[in-house]
Amino acid sequence: MAPLRKCTAMLIMACMLAAGTVSCSQPIDTGSPVPPQSQPYVALLALLGVGVALTALHHHNVNRNNSGGGGGPPVSLTAPQLVEGLGIGAFDIALDLINSPGGVGALGTGGSTGRSTFIEVGSSGANNGSYFLPSGFQPRAVAIDGSGDDWFSDPLGAVKKCAPPAAGVTTCVPSVSLSDGLPASGVRNLAADSTHVLITQDTLTGTVNWAAFNLDGTGRITGSYTYTGSAGTMSADAVVATTGSLSISTYTIAHKDGSTYSLALPGPAVVNPFKLTPPPQPNGVATLDGVSSFYGLVGSPSSGSYLLGHFAGIGTGSPPGSLVGRLAIAFNGQTSTDRGFYSVPLSALRTDGSLLYALDPAGSLVIFNAF
């Protein structure tokens, strides 16, 4: 803009000085109907018109280029507390509240070996150890039980239990290996608490089957429930253990339409009398107790605002299921890089009541303060 303003000013001054001279009174265009003595002023006005047009075009382009397709971020973006690259292509996480309070176990496919790998890190990013899973076993979900042991399940129903990472252990030798006995098709989810491990299987045609085992792999109990429409369970991290150290195992199962089911073993599962509104994205709902508070991801990761949402449960003074807190973490795909680089969408959302844990598409661990 500065060169354009200087150029226009120089043109104006030049023509004003020249207007009174003989040269400027000479005809610019002998065929023009404009009198010769007026032609310099007409030319000056034309130049001014060009300057105005260029200025308007510049402002239009600046505004368009700064808009990002929908204007700038409406509010400042919240930076995470920690962004930690795990180096294993992590795609699922579980919280370890026993052996390493604040610890996070992550499941991925490590390095050039292509073998499934488990790593546990502290909430500050410290490496607490890792190991490979048995060759040929390709689990898609991980859970950590109330004793700190690690559970894994694959899409066909194979389930294995491993001890926590320890010095000198490079490959897990499972202490429990079992088949959940549920249909092989559909979508599976996994959770564990102090007394049981639970596997759910959504047929994608209106039925959720489940099987639970004691932590030694015995005592299998099963059940099922039906849902209407096409809003089945979330595609990953749909099940959360919500009992802590209580003797009655209770789990929360989240569906894509925002509905949640409570399953207290031995069952049956009961739908909660509210829905999370708007429905969180189908990549995990985080809750600590399954009653008073829920977290989910809402909005668009690529266009407009992308938020961590806090939903009210029962007994909070707010309408159950309503969105009572928002944390803007991205706008038009852009995130705050104050604590490190990460991208969206996030997945595998989990909470310990103080922090929110998730994974970005590259498998980095991203941690926010709960709110």
Side-chain angles (χ1 to χ4, degrees), residues 141 183 266-267 287:
T287 179

Side-chain angles (χ1 to χ4, degrees), residues 58-213:
H58 174 81
H59 279 298
H60 171 75
N61 286 336
V62 168
N63 289 337
R64 182 182 63 187
N65 291 337
N66 287 343
S67 69
V75 295
S76 61
L77 301 178
T78 299
Q81 292 300 303
L82 176 72
V83 178
E84 177 74 10
L86 301 178
I88 62 168
F91 50 78
D92 195 28
I93 59 174
L95 303 187
D96 187 349
L97 306 179
I98 305 299
N99 288 349
S100 177
V104 182
L107 171 65
T109 302
S112 60
T113 64
R115 291 180 64 180
S116 295
T117 304
F118 177 78
I119 185 172
E120 187 166 297
V121 298
S123 57
S124 62
N127 188 332
N128 294 342
S130 64
Y131 53 72
F132 290 113
L133 276 298
S135 180
F137 180 50
Q138 297 290 331
R140 300 302 301 174
V142 60
I144 300 177
D145 66 29
S147 298
D149 291 323
D150 311 318
W151 292 83
F152 305 91
S153 66
D154 75 4
L156 298 180
V159 179
K160 297 185 185 297
K161 174 184 175 181
C162 297
V169 177
T170 58
T171 299
C172 160
V173 177
S175 59
V176 173
S177 294
L178 57 85
S179 171
D180 62 29
L182 302 174
S185 61
V187 173
R188 273 176 165 75
N189 281 278
L190 177 71
D193 64 7
S194 295
T195 58
H196 290 87
V197 59
L198 174 76
I199 306 96
T200 65
Q201 181 261 348
D202 182 3
T203 64
L204 303 179
T205 58
T207 300
V208 172
N209 300 299
W210 56 265
F213 298 83

